[in-house]
Amino acid sequence: MKDILLLSGEFRSRAQEASFQACRLPESRRQARRLFLFSVLLNTLFLSSDWRFAGTPHFEIAVPARIAVILGSLLCLGLARSMTSFRAVERLCFLWQAITAIGVAFLVSSRSDIAIFVLVMLPTVFYLAVPTSFRGNMGGGMACGTALLVGYLAPAPFSPTMPGMIMAMLILHCGMWIAIARSNRAQRQQWIATREAQDARAALANSSATLERMFMTVPVPLLVTRGDGTVLRHNEAAGRTLGREGDFRPIWMIEDDMPSIRLLDYIQAGGHADHIECRIADAGGILRDILYSSRPVMIAGEDCTLSSIVEITDRKNAERHLAQLAMTDALTGLANRSHFMAALTQASEATRSSGGRMAVALIDVDEFKRINDSSGHDAGDALLCAVGRRLRAAVRPGDLVARMGGDEFAVLITRTGDRRDLDSILARMAMRLHAPLRHGEREIECRASMGVALFPDHADDVADLMKHADIALYEAKNAGRGRACLFETGLLESWEREARMLERARHALVHTPPTPWYQPKVDLANGKVIGFEALLRCVQPDGSILMPGDIAAAFEHPELGRLLTDKMLEGILADCRAWEERGIDFGHVAVNLPGVELHDRAFPDRFLARLSENSVPPRRIELEVTESVFLGRNAEVVEHNLRRLSAAGISIALDDFGTGYASLSHLKQFPIDIIKIDRCFIRDLETDPDDAAIVRAVLNLAYSLGIQTVAEGVENESQLAYLRAGGCHFGQGFLFGAAIPASRISELQRIDRSRSSN
């Protein structure tokens, strides 16, 4: 070992050597006292044998020497009580060695037969029996050997065997040196091993105690069970949580996919387990959610099972609560969209397997924004809650009502029979929904539109079913609201057509923004151009032109309608400003205005401000509106906006008169300056008496009310002659010219002036 010196067999470290000697101090003290005692006894015996030298000269030397050794040994034995340290033991042993070596040196001078034995024996005793350090053993042995050899050889004459004796003594001392070094090394290695074993035992004892404390204080219930299911050990947490006084027999484990089983039986049969979530019930019937794990362990040579049981009741309750919140609408308490879609998916699979049918109804509260704005959000919330309650009261117990978001609800109608059954359910829903709602001191009108799609009649997967129900809802709202609409194939085609229109409009706004082209309007009395109608055109990169009919649905879209109108107005006002600056008399420009703008109370001020910014007089602008803007709940807003614009000097034209929900009251209620006769009545004017009668009636009505008229789609002289004869004021159509870009207006004006001068 590197820590032990090769020559002496002692530790290199003085501190470690001192520790070794201090550890052996009791043994060294006993050995020293035993050595002193044996020395007294043996030398006393030897003293009796020394009388054989009586009468010889050696007798006078031997007896005093022997007595000196005995007295020295007694002295050392008496001083043995003062050996409180290894150094004290070593010093006392040095004293005894000196007295003994000197005394025996005189004794061996007799050269008796026993003297040679003493020459060998006494140094060996000094080497092997005296409890001192290596230097004490070697020093004492060498000094003793030298003293004895001198005492033996000193009397003359010298023996012829002297060299041999000296060599023998050297060999003896070398052997003793080796023996002492090996003995020292063995003792210290044994001491190190003993210390390490003691440390290991202490560590093990400490570790066992620590593990025991840890086992008992771990807050997680732990059970150690034998192979027969009996409980060998359990910690404090297990006692507190699972059983009184360590009796776990009444605990039962409950899992959804297996019958109940006693916990101890489950542990006995289960073996290795990792984080199994289940429930346990105690003798009192209290249920707890737990996380169970187990591992095989060896305890005192016996195969056992260590089981941990972590209670997760609070966590599971929180998870269940969060799951309920995640699947429930907070306001109405109905199922939310996620819950509805999951239930719809499950119901579709069951319906497909059974071969039955079911229906999805999407319900949208009509004019909900208006109710929120006029009555407040508390009234809106009350209305939504009332709709939820009424729907639940109207449907059957197996049907599901959900709030999809905002003012949109959905009903999953399971086990739908024939059409009459569905109509009965929808009628019951409509009857309950359309009853007025009393909120505070006011009564809120409740109306709702419904779109319905059948599974698998209208769609064989959930995504398409919801899409088709949404299309039916869209149709119900467009058809006047407050009604239910069942999906039809034609609705999908119409919806897809409108979707394509909207997509084309979005693409055009980004890549080929709309620009106004202008179709001339002519005074039928003299053929002079009195103004233009601005028509939307989108010139494609390939030279083709996107017409208004290609994106007709976009004009009524809340977002796209505004963007298209804004782009058109930007171009129209820029052209008007340019013509004004160049002195071109363009009369006026008629602008088609979508209903989405007229339903905005801020539109008149915004529009008039733009006219002012571009220095365009209001008389230069004529706004064309269709009769559809007069319908619905915002008619009073439309009337206010039109009167505001009319008062500012802008002419109002009623476009496509007679083709929509025409009402003569509109001509009285709203500030209409011009009636435009739709081209569908002009086209067959010459061959269809009914069209001719309608045109004549409209012209007479306008004349009676003092309203000017414009005929659209005039394409030949016969139509022109009939309109002139009927008193029509203005006309536009291919007979007078197609729509042209703004850059060609000055050219058209020059042609018109030359025509008028001729």
Side-chain angles (χ1 to χ4, degrees):
M1 297 178 67
K2 294 182 178 180
D3 292 338
I4 298 178
L5 294 170
L6 180 63
L7 296 179
S8 65
E10 294 181 336
F11 289 114
R12 293 180 184 276
S13 170
R14 292 184 178 180
Q16 192 173 12
E17 180 66 21
S19 177
F20 170 75
Q21 297 295 356
C23 183
R24 290 170 53 87
L25 178 61
E27 180 183 353
S28 298
R29 292 173 62 184
R30 286 194 300 270
Q31 186 175 349
R33 283 195 295 268
R34 197 177 297 123
L35 181 63
F36 300 154
L37 180 60
F38 286 160
S39 177
V40 171
L41 295 176
L42 291 175
N43 280 285
T44 300
L45 292 176
F46 283 131
L47 180 62
S48 62
S49 69
D50 287 340
W51 290 102
R52 70 182 186 276
F53 297 111
T56 67
H58 184 68
F59 179 77
E60 295 178 358
I61 298 174
V63 172
R66 184 75 66 184
I67 293 173
V69 172
I70 293 172
L71 293 176
S73 298
L74 288 173
L75 175 64
C76 291
L77 186 62
L79 295 176
R81 295 178 180 178
S82 64
M83 295 186 299
T84 57
S85 66
F86 179 74
R87 292 298 182 190
V89 174
E90 194 172 35
R91 285 194 295 270
L92 196 57
C93 287
F94 286 163
L95 175 62
W96 177 81
Q97 284 178 306
I99 294 172
T100 302
I102 294 172
V104 175
F106 282 101
L107 290 173
V108 298
S109 64
S110 66
R111 295 185 180 180
S112 62
D113 295 338
I114 198 172
I116 297 176
F117 172 75
V118 174
L119 285 175
V120 175
M121 180 198 69
L122 189 60
T124 303
V125 171
F126 279 20
Y127 277 117
L128 300 179
V130 180
T132 62
S133 62
F134 176 79
R135 69 177 183 277
N137 291 127
M138 287 299 299
M142 291 291 292
C144 179
T146 302
L148 294 181
L149 192 59
V150 169
Y152 184 83
L153 298 176
F158 290 110
S159 172
T161 61
M162 181 180 65
M165 292 185 65
I166 294 174
M167 292 296 295
M169 292 299 293
L170 289 175
I171 293 173
L172 172 65
H173 287 284
C174 287
M176 288 296 101
W177 174 27
I178 295 173
I180 289 298
R182 291 184 61 185
S183 176
N184 286 347
R185 186 178 300 107
Q187 289 175 357
R188 281 152 182 79
Q189 289 176 346
Q190 181 182 7
W191 181 76
I192 292 174
T194 302
R195 291 289 298 271
E196 290 178 349
Q198 291 174 347
D199 292 343
R201 285 193 296 271
L204 180 60
N206 184 58
S207 176
S208 299
T210 301
L211 288 175
E212 177 67 16
R213 289 193 299 272
M214 291 174 60
F215 176 82
M216 296 303 295
T217 58
V218 166
V220 176
L222 299 176
L223 297 178
V224 179
T225 55
R226 295 187 176 94
D228 60 1
T230 59
V231 178
L232 178 63
R233 296 291 306 279
H234 69 275
N235 66 353
E236 296 175 358
R240 290 193 305 269
T241 305
L242 301 178
R244 297 178 179 176
E245 299 179 357
D247 186 7
F248 305 102
R249 290 173 297 175
I251 306 297
W252 287 78
M253 181 172 282
I254 303 169
E255 289 189 279
D256 296 335
D257 57 348
M258 63 179 291
S260 300
I261 183 173
R262 285 199 322 132
L263 174 62
L264 296 182
D265 294 338
Y266 183 88
I267 294 174
Q268 181 184 2
H272 184 97
D274 276 320
H275 307 303
I276 297 176
E277 291 189 6
C278 56
R279 309 185 83 185
I280 59 173
D282 59 18
I286 298 176
L287 292 176
R288 295 186 179 93
D289 292 285
I290 66 167
L291 193 66
Y292 173 78
S293 299
S294 65
R295 290 288 187 281
V297 294
M298 184 72 70
I299 304 294
E302 183 179 3
D303 290 329
C304 300
T305 300
L306 174 64
S307 303
S308 67
I309 300 171
V310 181
E311 184 172 357
I312 55 173
T313 303
D314 293 340
R315 193 196 82 185
K316 296 299 289 186
N317 288 339
E319 288 177 358
R320 284 188 280 268
H321 180 63
L322 290 175
Q324 182 181 6
L325 292 178
M327 302 294 280
T328 305
D329 176 60
L331 177 63
T332 62
L334 300 173
N336 61 10
R337 177 182 289 274
S338 298
H339 187 180
F340 182 83
M341 295 305 296
L344 178 59
T345 301
Q346 184 177 5
S348 66
E349 294 173 355
T351 302
R352 185 181 289 110
S353 301
S354 64
R357 61 196 321 217
M358 65 179 188
V360 169
L362 295 182
I363 300 100
D364 192 83
V365 180
D366 296 334
E367 303 294 339
F368 180 72
K369 185 178 184 304
R370 180 184 62 81
I371 295 172
N372 249 348
D373 294 342
S374 61
S375 302
H377 288 280
D378 58 334
D381 291 345
L383 177 59
L384 294 177
C385 292
V387 169
R389 291 193 302 270
R390 292 174 178 182
L391 286 174
R392 277 191 290 196
V395 301
R396 301 166 302 178
D399 299 334
L400 177 66
V401 180
R403 182 187 176 203
M404 305 298 280
D407 61 340
E408 184 177 352
F409 294 80
V411 177
L412 174 59
I413 305 172
T414 58
R415 304 183 309 279
T416 304
D418 56 19
R419 177 65 183 271
R420 287 179 299 178
D421 292 339
L422 180 61
D423 289 343
S424 174
I425 297 173
L426 295 177
R428 187 164 62 247
M429 291 166 57
M431 179 186 68
R432 290 182 178 272
L433 286 175
H434 294 167
L437 171 67
R438 191 75 183 178
H439 179 68
E441 298 297 325
R442 61 182 303 175
E443 190 174 84
I444 301 174
E445 183 180 1
C446 180
R447 306 286 290 177
S449 301
M450 291 185 284
V452 184
L454 293 170
F455 179 92
D457 303 45
H458 299 146
D460 60 357
D461 67 78
V462 170
D464 287 343
L465 185 67
M466 291 296 293
K467 173 183 174 182
H468 294 168
D470 196 44
I471 291 173
L473 175 62
Y474 180 76
E475 177 64 20
K477 296 179 78 69
N478 283 346
R481 303 175 184 264
R483 60 188 291 259
C485 179
L486 185 65
F487 176 78
E488 299 174 356
T489 305
L491 295 180
L492 178 60
E493 296 173 355
S494 175
W495 181 85
E496 289 176 345
R497 183 169 59 253
E498 290 189 8
R500 288 193 295 270
M501 289 182 180
L502 296 178
E503 184 59 31
R504 281 195 292 265
R506 292 188 181 94
H507 184 272
L509 283 168
V510 175
H511 301 285
T512 56
T515 56
W517 284 27
Y518 301 93
Q519 186 177 33
K521 293 171 63 175
V522 176
D523 188 336
L524 299 186
N526 55 26
K528 184 178 180 181
V529 176
I530 51 90
F532 300 88
E533 180 180 0
L535 302 175
L536 179 143
R537 297 291 186 269
C538 296
V539 181
Q540 306 299 306
D542 60 359
S544 61
I545 298 177
L546 190 68
M547 305 294 284
D550 298 326
I551 56 172
F555 294 112
E556 298 305 321
H557 189 275
E559 178 184 356
L560 295 178
R562 291 182 185 276
L563 292 175
L564 291 170
T565 301
D566 187 69
K567 283 291 183 182
M568 285 292 291
L569 287 176
E570 181 181 346
I572 291 168
L573 296 180
D575 292 338
C576 290
R577 183 177 67 248
W579 293 331
E580 288 277 355
E581 292 173 353
R582 292 164 56 189
I584 297 176
D585 184 11
F586 57 91
H588 67 270
V589 175
V591 180
N592 289 282
L593 198 63
V596 65
E597 294 286 12
L598 286 176
H599 291 159
D600 183 3
R601 286 185 177 272
F603 173 74
D605 293 334
R606 189 168 63 247
F607 181 67
L608 293 173
R610 295 188 68 173
L611 291 180
S612 177
E613 290 172 3
N614 288 274
S615 302
V616 177
R619 62 181 177 82
R620 293 290 194 181
I621 299 298
E622 178 181 294
L623 295 181
E624 295 186 1
V625 298
T626 60
E627 290 177 313
S628 62
V629 301
F630 303 145
L631 305 176
R633 301 179 185 275
N634 288 329
E636 69 279 2
V637 178
V638 175
E639 180 181 2
H640 169 271
N641 290 344
L642 290 179
R643 292 194 180 281
R644 174 79 173 86
L645 294 168
S646 179
I650 297 175
S651 299
I652 308 298
L654 185 58
D655 198 10
D656 302 333
F657 182 76
T659 60
Y661 299 92
S663 174
L664 297 181
S665 64
H666 294 160
L667 299 177
K668 177 182 178 181
Q669 179 182 356
F670 298 97
I672 305 301
D673 302 305
I674 300 167
I675 292 176
K676 297 192 72 173
I677 305 172
D678 190 77
R679 67 182 67 249
C680 67
F681 301 121
I682 305 299
R683 183 177 57 248
D684 299 324
L685 184 63
E686 305 157 82
T687 57
D688 190 335
D690 293 337
D691 286 345
I694 291 173
V695 171
R696 188 165 53 251
V698 172
L699 292 175
N700 291 335
L701 175 64
Y703 176 78
S704 300
L705 296 175
I707 298 176
Q708 294 180 321
T709 54
V710 178
E712 294 182 299
V714 181
E715 298 182 357
N716 56 57
E717 293 293 340
S718 297
Q719 295 169 347
L720 175 60
Y722 185 89
L723 293 170
R724 279 176 175 171
C728 184
H729 299 93
F730 312 110
Q732 64 184 91
F734 290 140
L735 179 63
F736 309 114
I740 58 175
S743 59
R744 295 182 55 192
I745 292 298
S746 58
E747 176 186 347
L748 180 64
Q749 292 288 62
R750 286 196 300 272
I751 295 174
D752 183 60
R753 284 195 298 270
S754 63
R755 184 184 300 163
S756 299
S757 62
N758 292 335

